[in-house]
Amino acid sequence: MAARGHVQDPNDRRLRPIYDYLDNGNNKMAIQQADKLLKKHKDLHCAKVLKAIGLQRTGKQDEAFSLAQEVATLEPTDDNSLQALTILYREMHHPELVTKLYEAAVKKVPLSEEYHSHLFMAYARVGEYKKMQQAGMALYKIVPKNPYYFWSVMSLVMQAISAQDEKLAQTMFLPLAERMVEKMVKEEKIEAEAEVQLYFMILERLGKCVEALDVVRGPLGEKLTSELRSRENKCMMMYQRLQLWPECNALSYKLLLKNPDDWQFYLSYFDSLFHLMDKSWSQPEEGEHCVEGPVQTTVAEAVKFVVDRMEEQDKKESRPLRGPYLACLELIHRLRQRGCPDEKELGDPLELMVQFFGKFGDKPCCITDLKIYLHLLPPEQRSQFKNRLGELVPLGEAGEDGFGFPGDTKALQRHLCVCQLSRALGLQHALDTEGKLRLITELKAHYHHGLQFGKSCLKTELQFSDMYCLMAAHVYIDLWTETGDENMLWQCLGMLEEGLSFSPSNAQFKLLLLLLFCRLGAFQPVVDLYSSLDAKHVQHDTIGYLLTRYAGSLGQFAAASQSCNFSLRFFHSNQKDTSEYIIQAYKYGAFEKIPEFIAFRTRLNQSLHFAQVRTERMLLDLYTEADVTLSLEESVKAMGVCPEEDDIPWDNMRDNRDLTVLVSWDPKDRELTEEHRRLSLEEESVWLKVRALTLRLLASLALLGHAPSPWNSDKTNENGISAKSSTLQTLLSQLDQTLETAAQITEKHTQYPFLGPPSSRLASALSSGSCHCQASALQLSLTLRELETTGLEMLSRCKGEVLEMKDGRLKTQPSLLETLVFFVETVCVVLWVASYSANVLRPLKSSLQKKKKKKKDSSTAMPVVMCGFQEWTGSLHGVVTQALDHVKGQEASLTALKLAALTLEEGYSQTQEECGFTRAAMDKVQTSYLGSLQEMGDLLRKRADSLKSLKI
Amino acid sequence: MLSKMTTLRAFTCDDLFKFNNINLDPLTETYGIPFYLQYLAHWPEYFIVAEAPGGELMGYIMGKAEGSVAREEWHGHVTALSVAPEFRRLGLAAKLMEMLEEISERKGGFFVDLFVRVSNQVAVNMYKQLGYSVYRTVIEYYSASNGEPDEDAYDMRKALSRDTERKSIIPIPHPVRPEDIE
């Protein structure tokens, strides 16, 4: 942590042991040592901070924080305290506090280059671009070093990039940045390559491509030396944006002469050529020629150019380059797209591809190269093509089984390539079952034969014939999916296991085995397979789905939880990690990397897989632990799930899954398409939404269940509860909507290529009924909630004295009695519904218990209903008890009411006799009220008893 | 049908999402994000990727420039070089090495060096063919994984034109420990 070379300051010497303890992870000793030191030197603030670091690292965040704040409020200016606080705040994930720290420090020491620079970096860490701009300038004023000035310029560019309003970026931030750089250019103060890069970046973002070109071509451009071909690449970019096709064409031509294997320049060469042809561009007059050299404008020239490049390669002694030959096929493809007859000048695609195979058939990439141009062959030529290639494969005499084998690895690779091409041409798929079985026999024979070439291979190397094995597995899968013959699947697994035994590092074997085991529902072997792939870090995002898609859904909860954790750890470190390197990029002047790093961080934060593992991890915890070791409420609180909060970026979800990680040689019509990718993301997102809503609903339920009931609480609490019920309501209607969308999606029955993305759990969740059962159960909770609340409300309206004496007068409220009757009637209805529900649920529960005894697993949906019911009857009981108490209270006060004490005023034209009659009438009312109350009390008591029998 | 693509270009963060076909190789390490970002922030020109016409990543090289100029130790270093199995035997690794050497030449380096597992005979031979020689052996440079023992590395070097007398590559006869190398 602290690499201090020269220890001169006595404080440094005193602090040294604490640093050492912290560095060695001995936090307890660090704290003790700090305490010791603080006894002697009360004002050694840094010791306090170091103690705080120790506390933070031993989980005492609150203590650490308040200790740190003690020092921070003193606004320290000593290096030790500042650095220690910076470390502490970063570990506490409070980088914004570091800015406050250095803001105070530069106020006290306004001329410190170091503190200003720390302040700039602190702002950079939290992305405070405007303040960075100011901090950069402040630095430059203290110490006029170019980097500081350009930090400020780059901060303007960042303000432009992050501006919501593109207009603001274009009219304010970028022009200002441009002027700042221009000023330095005019004063001839431009020093570093990074500064020119930044200038170019600004002009490019402003769309000032002509000016950008001038910079690159001019004297400033001479500074662009680090990256190879930096100036050419930048010029090409600008030519394309400016649609300067002559320059684009001439530069591509020039670069291809130098390096006839650089694919990008063939593309820009062809693009520009056709643009020029479309515009009927012609060479200008003498003297006005293109700055980049000769321009080619006709198909004839392009054909000649490509043919010349091929001839050049043909004549070469050394290894020929693939570029020119592929360029020839690319040109045919483009000419054909334009309906241009000149393609014939280049030759027959079949012949050209045969030629290509002749030259490169022994390279493993031959299939990858030719695959993109197979569409140039008409369907009727496919078999002929395969046969022609076969002629170029030297195989030995055919044996008894009718197969001839290659004599060396080059011949093997050629033969393999023909197999791969015939698969890509759809010839394998066209075979009938018998044909496919024979093909498998042939591939197996070649696989086994080829193993002899790899006898000396290390464990880390692949066998030369591995791909035969993989292809045989693919054909097995074809057979399995077509015929449903499970035997094919078992043989396929056997084939791959055998392959792995000879080639233990073959990732493709592992990936396919993994996929097949998952399809079979057997997750256990997958754990070892995946871990032997040694997938780490970013791979958790790109191929982690292979694990997380299946672990939980196949009932391996521990493994599921673990794989979610691996991924989560990666995602969580992203935020801190990337900020650090954004700062590094400022330091090293890698300005173009700054927006790139920020985009990268965003891409990870918005990852579909991140949201999935986040949600699944919490659901898993609830399923396995809530109401087992902790209550649901405690679990929800510990996870910090807030039902109101949705932290998933639904509109910007990034699908970072590598869906082509499994090798496939399937024909184009069976390959993964963009549409597949879109559908898969859509499906996964909807499933994620179902899961995320379930989680939030459970959280909402848990927090609601323990809220104080309005009967005993004041108004504000009542409001709080109604707000929370409304969350439940909102979430439920969102869940309903999502399930509707889900139903529409599953109706499409999208089939993905076998080696492509696995289908989500959506369809099976829906068809199992689990989604709807859970939704109904959750709906029930809302209904119950309403029931309880309205019940209590009704009861509260019964409150008050039906008969009381006030100011010596008798006051009646007969409506209270009526309300009480409504309440009692309602209680009856609710109880009958409850008893009906109990009858429905009772057999369900007993069957569930039987199942539970049989299987260890239990369905997750049912207990929610059961708990819901129990909660419901519980709260019903509560309401009835409260009602009974109320009735009892009323009875008591009625009985206690001594009407005799009432002095009826005489003189209101009432005689004493008349008063006697009035008293009698009052007595009757009182007795009647009492009678009503008693009857209702009896009824309620009976209901309360029957409620007890409602236990399920 | 073909998207715009480049054969040899600067490695960018987005390539981290696409390099599985290269990195699932057992001898290719997948580093933590900070490691890649450090190289991209400090030596972006030394991080080059090759892309196939179909868009697949073929291989990449990652390197840096370091060492003291005064002590004539300023040099280019190859941190990682890997080519996906299906794009091997095309001379791609050689091409990437050539580019790294050219960048190091431009920076005025005295030599280029790299570490390689002594057991990785294929790689050792390839580097020898490219003009590299074993400068020294580093004991237990590669730490153990999956129950395998620690492994030694060869520190291989190739002199650049600035080292006219090729002093930088005179082999050190005794093996050194990892903590003794700079």
Side-chain angles (χ1 to χ4, degrees), chain A residues 515-622:
Chain A
L515 190 69
L516 290 170
F517 278 123
C518 285
R519 290 282 180 117
L520 271 172
F523 191 76
Q524 242 154 35
V526 170
V527 178
D528 284 343
L529 282 168
Y530 189 84
S531 85
S532 77
L533 284 173
D534 203 18
K536 288 185 282 197
H537 311 297
V538 72
Q539 289 170 322
H540 286 308
D541 194 18
T542 54
I543 59 173
Y545 71 94
L546 292 168
L547 268 192
T548 50
R549 160 62 184 85
Y550 290 105
S553 68
L554 295 176
Q556 304 273 333
F557 299 129
S561 183
Q562 200 184 24
S563 36
C564 286
N565 281 349
F566 285 146
S567 295
L568 281 174
R569 215 169 299 149
F570 165 71
F571 286 115
H572 284 142
S573 63
N574 161 43
Q575 190 73 25
K576 218 174 88 189
D577 289 348
T578 37
S579 313
E580 206 47 52
Y581 293 95
I582 290 168
I583 287 172
Q584 299 262 317
Y586 277 102
K587 282 188 185 157
Y588 298 119
F591 294 123
E592 77 274 31
K593 289 291 164 191
I594 294 168
E596 186 184 315
F597 288 177
I598 290 171
F600 174 68
R601 177 170 69 191
T602 311
R603 182 170 177 181
L604 287 177
N605 281 337
Q606 295 176 340
S607 160
L608 165 73
H609 192 238
F610 183 22
Q612 284 174 326
V613 291
R614 212 155 67 209
T615 310
E616 289 298 328
R617 172 61 223 262
M618 288 194 271
L619 279 174
L620 270 168
D621 280 357
L622 288 186

Side-chain angles (χ1 to χ4, degrees), chain B residues 9-88:
Chain B
R9 58 167 175 79
F11 190 99
T12 68
C13 289
D14 280 341
D15 293 317
L16 294 170
F17 296 97
K18 303 198 295 184
F19 69 6
N20 284 321
N21 63 330
I22 304 170
N23 274 40
L24 285 174
D25 172 272
L27 291 181
T28 304
E29 178 74 14
T30 300
Y31 297 101
I33 297 300
F35 197 72
Y36 296 110
L37 295 192
Q38 184 199 343
Y39 276 79
L40 288 172
H42 201 154
W43 307 279
E45 66 279 3
Y46 266 124
F47 205 162
I48 302 165
V49 64
E51 203 174 67
E56 306 90 350
L57 298 191
M58 305 164 75
Y60 61 83
I61 194 166
M62 177 164 92
K64 60 180 169 182
E66 60 184 6
S68 142
V69 179
R71 282 188 282 164
E72 302 196 358
E73 280 165 358
W74 173 246
H75 69 282
H77 174 76
V78 184
T79 305
L81 169 63
S82 189
V83 175
E86 63 168 317
F87 297 105
R88 291 184 189 158

Side-chain angles (χ1 to χ4, degrees), chain A residues 165-176:
Chain A
D165 182 3
E166 178 60 21
K167 225 175 148 189
L168 209 59
Q170 289 296 328
T171 57
M172 195 168 101
F173 297 126
L174 289 171
L176 189 51

Side-chain angles (χ1 to χ4, degrees), chain A residues 224-230 233 240 259 261-265 267 319 322 326 330 333-334 337 360 362-369 372-373 375 409-410 413 458-462 464 505 507-508 511 531-539 541-543 570 574 577-578 581 584-585 588-590 592-593 596-597 600 603-604 654 656-658 661 663 668, chain B residues 1-48 51-56 58 84-92 94-96 98-100 102-104 106-107 117 119-122 129 145-146 148:
Chain A
L224 301 171
T225 54
S226 287
E227 200 186 323
L228 297 180
R229 253 180 9 217
S230 174
N233 285 342
Q240 284 169 346
N259 182 4
D261 208 28
D262 210 329
W263 189 246
Q264 61 175 326
F265 298 125
L267 300 181
R319 184 183 347 232
R322 294 136 64 230
L326 287 175
E330 174 68 18
H333 161 67
R334 294 201 177 206
Q337 268 184 332
F360 304 104
D362 56 0
K363 307 284 181 202
C365 72
C366 187
I367 170 68
T368 321
D369 288 339
I372 18 182
Y373 295 109
H375 67 280
T409 55
K410 286 199 169 182
Q413 192 56 51
L458 299 172
K459 269 204 316 199
T460 48
E461 286 173 88
L462 305 179
F464 294 95
S505 298
Q508 287 300 326
L511 287 166
S531 85
S532 77
L533 284 173
D534 203 18
K536 288 185 282 197
H537 311 297
V538 72
Q539 289 170 322
D541 194 18
T542 54
I543 59 173
F570 165 71
N574 161 43
D577 289 348
T578 37
Y581 293 95
Q584 299 262 317
Y588 298 119
E592 77 274 31
K593 289 291 164 191
E596 186 184 315
F597 288 177
F600 174 68
R603 182 170 177 181
L604 287 177
R654 295 294 299 264
N656 297 333
R657 293 175 299 165
D658 182 350
V661 68
V663 162
K668 204 156 179 46
Chain B
M1 176 182 74
L2 292 169
S3 57
K4 186 183 177 299
M5 72 203 72
T6 321
T7 303
L8 290 160
R9 58 167 175 79
F11 190 99
T12 68
C13 289
D14 280 341
D15 293 317
L16 294 170
F17 296 97
K18 303 198 295 184
F19 69 6
N20 284 321
N21 63 330
I22 304 170
N23 274 40
L24 285 174
D25 172 272
L27 291 181
T28 304
E29 178 74 14
T30 300
Y31 297 101
I33 297 300
F35 197 72
Y36 296 110
L37 295 192
Q38 184 199 343
Y39 276 79
L40 288 172
H42 201 154
W43 307 279
E45 66 279 3
Y46 266 124
F47 205 162
I48 302 165
E51 203 174 67
E56 306 90 350
M58 305 164 75
E86 63 168 317
F87 297 105
R88 291 184 189 158
R89 280 176 266 170
L90 294 171
L92 182 59
K95 175 80 194 163
L96 291 167
E98 186 189 307
M99 293 174 82
L100 185 133
E102 193 187 329
I103 296 167
S104 306
R106 287 194 196 183
K107 289 184 188 291
R117 284 174 190 273
S119 68
N120 194 351
Q121 214 45 55
V122 182
Q129 268 188 349
S145 67
N146 304 329
E148 306 282 323

Side-chain angles (χ1 to χ4, degrees), chain A residues 400-449:
Chain A
E400 268 174 45
D401 50 8
F403 307 132
F405 296 106
D408 59 22
T409 55
K410 286 199 169 182
L412 179 151
Q413 192 56 51
R414 279 181 185 275
H415 180 261
L416 176 65
C417 183
V418 178
C419 297
Q420 290 166 327
L421 282 166
S422 65
R423 186 162 178 86
L425 285 164
L427 299 175
Q428 292 188 355
H429 292 89
L431 295 171
D432 58 10
T433 304
E434 211 174 305
K436 280 182 182 135
L437 286 169
R438 180 162 165 79
L439 173 63
I440 289 173
T441 314
E442 186 186 351
L443 292 168
K444 273 185 178 172
H446 274 274
Y447 170 60
H448 289 126
H449 179 266

Side-chain angles (χ1 to χ4, degrees), chain A residues 193 196-197 200 209 211-240 247 251-252 254-255 258 264-265 291-292, chain B residues 45 102 106:
Chain A
E193 179 174 5
V196 183
Q197 292 265 23
F200 179 80
C209 300
E211 290 83 346
L213 261 178
D214 288 344
V215 170
V216 178
R217 285 181 185 153
L220 285 177
E222 281 166 26
K223 290 192 186 294
L224 301 171
T225 54
S226 287
E227 200 186 323
L228 297 180
R229 253 180 9 217
S230 174
R231 288 173 91 177
E232 285 98 330
N233 285 342
K234 287 189 166 63
C235 283
M236 186 70 88
M237 222 167 98
M238 291 302 104
Y239 292 151
Q240 284 169 346
E247 283 79 1
L251 180 57
S252 308
K254 216 163 59 179
L255 289 167
K258 255 196 263 172
Q264 61 175 326
F265 298 125
V291 287
E292 295 288 359
Chain B
E45 66 279 3
E102 193 187 329
R106 287 194 196 183

Side-chain angles (χ1 to χ4, degrees), chain A residues 604-651:
Chain A
L604 287 177
N605 281 337
Q606 295 176 340
S607 160
L608 165 73
H609 192 238
F610 183 22
Q612 284 174 326
V613 291
R614 212 155 67 209
T615 310
E616 289 298 328
R617 172 61 223 262
M618 288 194 271
L619 279 174
L620 270 168
D621 280 357
L622 288 186
Y623 288 143
T624 53
E625 275 164 24
D627 285 340
V628 180
T629 51
L630 284 176
S631 74
L632 180 62
E633 188 197 7
E634 285 166 324
S635 306
V636 163
K637 280 188 178 158
M639 286 176 198
V641 191
C642 172
E644 281 85 9
E645 213 172 86
D646 185 2
D647 63 352
I648 297 174
W650 298 107
D651 298 330

